[in-house]
């Protein structure tokens, strides 16, 4: 694309969606729309048409599909008759995303899984915590920085929980559990067992939050508790000695 | 909640507010106290411990005391451990369980050692809390010892479930032969992802019910080798229960390919019908082609 005379409607559509244009191309269009009244009016008309388009409906799964996944989860999580049930949902604690992804079929993720991709892996990359294979003082510092980012992300995710549907909530919580588990491994490798223990404790609360039979008040209480504990750990992390200093 | 740093005086005032026999705080008061507790993380242990002690021994809400317990888990030193243990020993109800769990978070060797005593003398809730503390502290060896000493199948099931959640494959395998094979133990292998143990039980469990459970549990493993194993089990099955268990496992594992290939191999209409039903339960897209096939062949 060289000048505004050859800016097609297709270019404007790509510009509208901020998709498929290089940075220089976007700048050319942006400058042209800003300086050419006719082009600006054309873009405004196109934008109005695109704004008026309805959002695509998510693919609803069949009832049989949802039942299949629920029966799979029930098979591993149903309390055996006569046992005292632990407060936490340990199968979810252990299984994390794989199970929650199964439950998330109900929110349209099933469409993404149609190609046979293993549950839980679609659209996600694992957090960057797998590089801590050999402990060094530098490893610990890198791990602590990564953990700080993870705790901040977790806070944001927990705050978003209140807008979630039940299925979205379970998927969000299962992803948090999975990310915590990855950081646990990194913590062990980085001589940071204290943080590994906290992450395991967090996962117990997260698996409790995923229970279907919680009232809104119980959910809020658990969420508030986790937010407080995350804040405490963020404060603690801010006081951790930096690379090269003695480790407390 | 913002990461607010409060001056020490404000911390002291907010945490003293209801320490002398008044009614438990409102939620707004609690919010301030919890913010004050959070700020204690900036203080050295000798400054942080007195307010925490005041909260734990004073008339504060359970929520505030839970916050204080978590803060205590992050304070180093023998005094902090002693305060935590003292609280856990003397308290009852949910806060006792919470304190026990915090012993796991704190991770002190002496504290972890004392968990055995809490378990031995505790009710069901306390025992749950001890198991959770061991899970947090990553002590599968201690949980294994509890499994060996379990009084009954109910208790054993609960304990091995924790081992499963810990991924404690070694300890779970050590239990085989030392305790009865129960559904709980089989489920624990599935939770821990132990394909090898489940495959062995699927072939050679001491009773039929365990064998069926182990086959189904392979479905929860869901790996390619587990899926292959289920297909093989189906092919070699000599009775209906085993075949059904294998199909259940394949449904759980969403192994549509496996069910389809078995359908094509099946020679009896009955077997084909069962597999067709499985494909229906899996919402298989290939189902309709097979239905057309089945209905296009006249007698």
């Amino acid at each position: 694309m060289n000048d505004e005379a050859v800016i097609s409607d297709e270019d404007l559509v790509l510009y509208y969606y901020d998709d498929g244009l290089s940075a220089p191309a976007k700048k050319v269009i942006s400058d042209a729309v800003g300086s050419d009244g006719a082009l600006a009016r054309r873009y405004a008309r196109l934008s109005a048409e695109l704004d008026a388009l309805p959002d695509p409906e998510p693919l609803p799964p069949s009832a049989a599909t949802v039942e299949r996944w629920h029966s799979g989860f029930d098979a591993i999580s149903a309390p055996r008759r006569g046992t005292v049930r632990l407060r936490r949902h340990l199968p979810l604690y252990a299984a994390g995303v794989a199970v929650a992804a199964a439950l998330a079929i109900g929110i349209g993720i099933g469409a993404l899984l149609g190609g046979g991709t293993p549950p839980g892996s679609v659209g996600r990359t694992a957090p960057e915590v797998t590089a801590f294979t050999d402990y060094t003082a530098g490893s610990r510092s890198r791990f602590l920085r990564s953990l700080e980012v993870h705790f901040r992300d977790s806070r944001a995710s927990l705050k978003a929980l209140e807008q979630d549907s039940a299925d979205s909530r379970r998927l969000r919580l299962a992803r948090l559990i999975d990310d915590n588990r990855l950081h646990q491994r990194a913590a062990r490798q980085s001589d940071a067992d204290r943080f590994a223990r906290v992450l395991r404790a967090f996962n117990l609360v997260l698996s409790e939050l995923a229970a279907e039979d919680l009232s809104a008040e119980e959910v809020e209480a658990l969420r508030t508790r986790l937010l407080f504990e995350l804040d405490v750990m963020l404060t603690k992390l801010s006081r951790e000695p930096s690379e090269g200093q003695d480790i407390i | 909640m913002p990461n607010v740093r409060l001056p020490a005086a404000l911390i002291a005032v907010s945490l003293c507010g209801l320490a002398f026999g008044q009614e438990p705080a409102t939620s707004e008061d609690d919010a301030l106290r919890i913010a004050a507790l959070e700020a204690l993380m900036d203080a050295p242990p000798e400054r942080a411990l007195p307010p925490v002690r005041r909260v734990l021994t004073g008339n504060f809400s359970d929520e505030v005391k839970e916050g204080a317990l978590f803060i205590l888990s992050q304070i180093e030193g023998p005094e902090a451990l002693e305060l935590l243990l003292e609280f856990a020993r003397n308290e009852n109800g949910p806060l006792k369980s919470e304190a026990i769990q915090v012993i796991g978070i704190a991770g002190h060797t002496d504290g972890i050692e004392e968990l055995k005593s809490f378990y031995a003398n505790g009710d069901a809730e306390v025992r749950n809390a001890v198991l959770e503390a061991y899970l947090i502290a990553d002590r599968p060896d201690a949980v294994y010892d509890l499994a060996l000493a379990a009084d009954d199948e109910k208790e054993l099931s609960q304990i091995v479930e924790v081992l499963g959640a810990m991924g404690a494959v070694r300890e779970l395998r050590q239990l085989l032969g030392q305790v009865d094979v129960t559904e709980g133990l089989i489920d624990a292998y599935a939770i821990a992802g132990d394909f090898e143990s489940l495959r062995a039980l699927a072939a050679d469990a001491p009773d039929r019910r365990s064998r069926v459970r182990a086959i189904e549990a392979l479905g929860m493993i869901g790996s390619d080798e587990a899926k292959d194993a289920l297909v093989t089990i189906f092919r070699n099955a000599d009775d209906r229960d085993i075949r059904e268990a294998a199909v259940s496992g394949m449904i759980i594992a969403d192994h549509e390919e496996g069910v389809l290939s078995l359908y094509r191999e099946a020679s009896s209409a009955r077997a084909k019908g069962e597999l067709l039903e499985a494909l229906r339960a899996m919402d298989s897209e290939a189902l309709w082609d097979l239905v057309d096939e089945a209905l296009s062949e006249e007698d």
Side-chain angles (χ1 to χ4, degrees):
Chain A
M1 180 186 307
N2 294 324
D3 60 36
E4 60 218 44
V6 298
I7 295 176
S8 65
D9 278 354
E10 186 183 322
D11 294 331
L12 291 176
V13 168
L14 292 176
Y15 180 73
Y16 172 87
Y17 284 111
D18 192 24
D19 183 17
L21 290 174
S22 65
K26 276 193 280 192
K27 186 166 187 327
V28 166
I29 296 176
S30 173
D31 291 346
V33 169
S35 62
D36 182 335
L39 183 64
R41 285 190 293 278
R42 215 171 104 207
Y43 180 65
R45 267 198 313 275
L46 188 70
S47 298
E49 286 172 14
L50 292 170
D51 286 342
L53 290 176
D55 288 334
E57 291 293 323
L59 286 176
S62 68
T65 301
V66 175
E67 188 186 338
R68 162 170 53 91
W69 288 110
H70 282 187
S71 69
F73 180 66
D74 287 347
I76 62 163
S77 71
R80 285 156 297 288
R81 193 168 23 148
T83 59
V84 175
R85 187 160 193 176
L86 286 168
R87 289 187 301 169
R88 321 298 192 182
H89 292 249
L90 293 185
L92 181 60
Y93 172 96
V97 173
V99 171
L103 295 173
I105 291 292
I107 56 171
I109 290 183
L112 297 175
L113 293 177
T117 311
S121 64
V122 176
R124 291 190 73 226
T125 51
E128 298 279 334
V129 289
T130 54
F132 304 95
T133 50
D134 298 308
Y135 171 69
T136 63
S139 298
R140 183 182 164 89
S141 289
R142 282 198 302 280
F143 163 72
L144 292 178
R145 284 197 295 277
S146 169
L147 189 63
E148 183 178 348
V149 170
H150 169 60
F151 281 160
R152 292 195 189 283
D153 288 346
S154 298
R155 282 193 91 254
S157 193
L158 282 170
K159 282 180 177 289
L161 206 67
E162 45 190 354
Q163 278 95 41
D164 283 344
S165 65
D167 283 340
S168 300
R169 187 177 100 203
R170 277 196 293 274
L171 182 60
R172 181 189 297 277
L173 293 170
R175 282 176 174 167
L176 281 171
I177 289 171
D178 245 17
D179 288 348
N180 279 347
R181 289 171 72 199
L182 288 168
H183 282 86
Q184 275 173 51
R185 284 203 288 276
R188 278 201 299 273
Q189 292 159 358
S190 306
D191 195 29
D193 285 345
R194 175 177 287 279
F195 292 104
R197 290 193 295 272
V198 168
L199 287 162
R200 283 190 286 272
F202 283 174
N203 270 1
L204 283 175
V205 182
L206 288 169
S207 59
E208 189 173 353
L209 252 179
E212 293 182 17
D213 54 354
L214 291 181
S215 67
E217 290 75 22
E218 287 169 323
V219 169
E220 186 53 27
L222 288 169
R223 200 175 72 92
T224 302
R225 170 185 167 161
L226 273 173
L227 286 169
F228 163 75
E229 292 177 358
L230 279 166
D231 282 338
V232 168
M233 296 315 296
L234 281 165
T235 303
K236 185 173 177 68
L237 278 170
S238 70
R239 298 186 65 236
E240 281 287 320
S242 57
E243 188 173 328
Q245 294 181 12
D246 290 337
I247 296 167
I248 297 175
Chain B
M1 183 182 296
N3 195 3
V4 173
R5 298 188 176 209
L6 298 178
L10 183 54
I11 295 172
V13 165
S14 60
L15 292 177
C16 280
L18 292 179
F20 298 105
Q22 299 176 13
E23 291 297 315
T26 64
S27 59
E28 274 189 16
D29 294 329
D30 275 357
L32 175 59
R33 290 187 176 88
I34 288 169
L37 283 170
E38 187 189 316
L40 287 175
M41 288 310 301
D42 284 327
E46 62 273 16
R47 292 285 296 275
L49 267 179
V52 169
R53 183 186 301 277
R54 228 174 359 257
V55 168
L56 292 179
T57 56
N59 186 20
F60 291 88
S61 69
D62 283 3
E63 287 73 24
V64 175
K65 290 193 176 190
E66 281 175 9
L69 283 170
F70 186 79
I71 295 290
L72 194 54
S73 76
Q74 301 303 308
I75 298 176
E76 304 274 358
E79 279 191 38
L81 173 62
E82 191 46 41
L83 176 59
L84 176 57
L85 289 175
E86 192 185 315
F87 184 85
R89 288 176 197 130
N90 298 332
E91 192 62 35
N92 289 306
L95 281 175
K96 184 183 186 82
S97 298
E98 197 62 42
I100 289 171
Q101 190 193 89
V102 166
I103 292 171
I105 298 174
H108 301 287
T109 306
D110 292 345
I112 301 293
E113 192 56 33
E114 188 153 336
L115 288 173
K116 268 189 295 206
S117 162
F118 283 114
Y119 190 93
N121 299 311
D123 60 13
E125 285 297 321
V126 166
R127 289 182 165 200
N128 286 348
V130 170
L131 289 170
E132 288 175 358
Y134 281 138
L135 184 153
I136 289 167
D138 197 21
R139 290 293 304 274
D141 56 318
V143 181
Y144 172 81
D145 289 342
L146 292 179
L148 289 180
D151 288 331
D152 53 40
E153 184 178 327
K154 279 191 303 187
E155 185 185 355
L156 179 63
S157 285
Q158 189 154 29
I159 295 170
V160 297
E161 187 181 31
V162 173
L163 283 175
M166 295 171 85
V169 171
R170 183 178 62 187
E171 284 76 11
L172 284 167
R173 288 181 179 179
Q174 282 173 348
L175 280 175
L176 206 53
Q178 304 210 52
V179 300
D180 291 337
V181 174
T182 60
E183 288 186 1
L185 185 60
I186 292 169
D187 289 353
Y189 287 125
I191 294 169
D194 186 1
F195 165 72
E196 290 300 335
S197 295
L198 284 178
R199 182 169 65 174
L201 285 167
D204 201 24
D207 59 82
R208 178 177 209 73
R209 195 170 127 194
S210 298
R211 194 173 166 214
V212 164
R213 186 81 171 200
I215 293 169
E216 290 172 344
L218 281 169
M220 281 316 303
I221 302 280
S223 62
D224 286 345
E225 57 185 356
K227 289 175 181 177
D228 290 345
L230 286 165
V231 170
T232 303
I233 288 169
F234 184 95
R235 282 189 182 125
N236 298 336
D238 50 10
D239 73 59
R240 188 173 180 177
D241 286 346
I242 300 299
R243 276 200 302 276
E244 282 183 358
V247 170
S248 295
M250 281 186 270
I251 291 173
I252 292 169
D254 195 27
H255 190 26
E256 185 181 321
E257 264 178 48
V259 175
L260 266 172
S261 67
L262 290 170
Y263 178 88
R264 298 243 176 257
E265 288 171 20
S267 52
S268 76
R270 184 177 180 168
K272 278 185 173 319
E274 287 172 358
L275 291 163
L276 204 65
E277 194 55 41
L279 288 169
R280 188 165 158 244
M282 295 163 85
D283 197 33
S284 166
E285 292 190 5
L287 174 67
W288 305 115
D289 293 337
L290 300 179
V291 167
D292 283 343
E293 255 178 52
L295 295 177
S296 66
E297 295 171 9
E298 299 180 31
D299 288 340

